[in-house]
Amino acid sequence: MPSQTVLARARNLILEAEGFIEHMYLDTVSQITIGYGTMLPTAASSTTITMLNKATNQPATVDEKVKAWNTLREFSPVNHKLNMKAEAFADMTDLVINELQAERLFNLKLGGFVSMLQKHYPKFEDFPEDAQIAILDMAYNLGPRIYTVFKSFTKAVNDPRGPQ
C-alpha cells in the first residue's frame, strides 16, 4: 500500500483537478459522470447512488435516476467528443448528489486503482512519491486504459533498463 502521504497528496491533487459536480453530466468523451469524476457506465449504475431530487426535496427514485441517465445518453452517444462544461448539463436534471456521497465514491474508486496499479506495477510502492502520485492521477483519469493506451509506458515502468 502506498504511504498515507502519497495517498493524501494524490487524493488532494485529483479532487482539486476533478472538482465537485453535484449533478450527472457528460465528460469530454460523453461518459456520464457525477461527483468527483465517478463514471456511470450504465443506467443501472446510477441507481446504486444516493441522490436527492431538488424539485421534491425527496430521495431520488430508481425511475428518476434511470430517466436522468437516459436523458444524458440521448443527448450524446458514448465516445462522442464534447467541448461542454459540466455546468451546461445542470438544467437537464433535478437530481443531485451530496459531497459526502461523492467523496465516498471517489475513495472507493481511488482504492480500486491502487489495487490495480499494484497488480500491474509490482514495484509501485518503491517508486518515488511523485511518480506514485502521477501514476495514480493517470489511472484515475484513464482507468484500465492506462495499460492499453500506454503500453510502452507500462513496459518501461516495469523494466526501466529496457532490453538487455
Side-chain angles (χ1 to χ4, degrees):
M1 180 65 87
S3 72
Q4 290 302 313
T5 301
V6 165
L7 290 175
R9 286 180 58 203
R11 184 179 189 281
N12 291 339
L13 175 80
I14 298 167
L15 285 175
E16 184 177 330
E18 288 291 332
F20 171 64
I21 307 296
E22 69 177 355
H23 55 82
M24 285 188 260
Y25 63 95
L26 293 168
D27 70 6
T28 58
V29 291
S30 296
Q31 295 288 351
I32 298 173
T33 309
I34 196 166
Y36 288 106
T38 298
M39 188 174 60
L40 304 173
T42 64
S45 64
S46 71
T47 66
T48 65
I49 298 173
T50 302
M51 293 185 220
L52 177 73
N53 184 321
K54 290 191 309 184
T56 64
N57 203 31
Q58 296 294 315
T61 67
V62 168
D63 288 344
E64 288 172 327
K65 294 173 193 179
V66 169
K67 181 180 177 190
W69 192 95
N70 285 329
T71 297
L72 286 173
R73 180 50 54 232
E74 289 169 10
F75 183 84
S76 182
V78 174
N79 294 325
H80 180 262
K81 294 191 178 193
L82 287 177
N83 188 19
M84 297 173 70
K85 293 186 178 204
E87 292 79 19
F89 301 97
D91 291 338
M92 294 180 79
T93 180
D94 286 325
L95 307 186
V96 294
I97 186 174
N98 68 37
E99 198 160 359
L100 188 62
Q101 171 78 336
E103 284 184 29
R104 185 186 72 75
L105 294 169
F106 171 85
N107 289 330
L108 287 171
K109 184 177 175 182
L110 186 63
F113 285 122
V114 167
S115 298
M116 191 172 67
L117 288 171
Q118 290 170 322
K119 177 181 171 189
H120 283 85
Y121 304 124
K123 296 183 180 180
F124 179 72
E125 292 162 19
D126 296 334
F127 298 168
E129 282 189 6
D130 287 345
Q132 289 180 50
I133 292 164
I135 294 172
L136 275 165
D137 183 41
M138 288 172 62
Y140 192 85
N141 284 287
L142 293 169
R145 294 180 317 143
I146 189 173
Y147 313 112
T148 56
V149 173
F150 297 108
K151 290 178 185 174
S152 297
F153 174 78
T154 297
K155 187 174 181 181
V157 166
N158 285 329
D159 188 6
R161 297 173 291 140
Q164 299 299 315

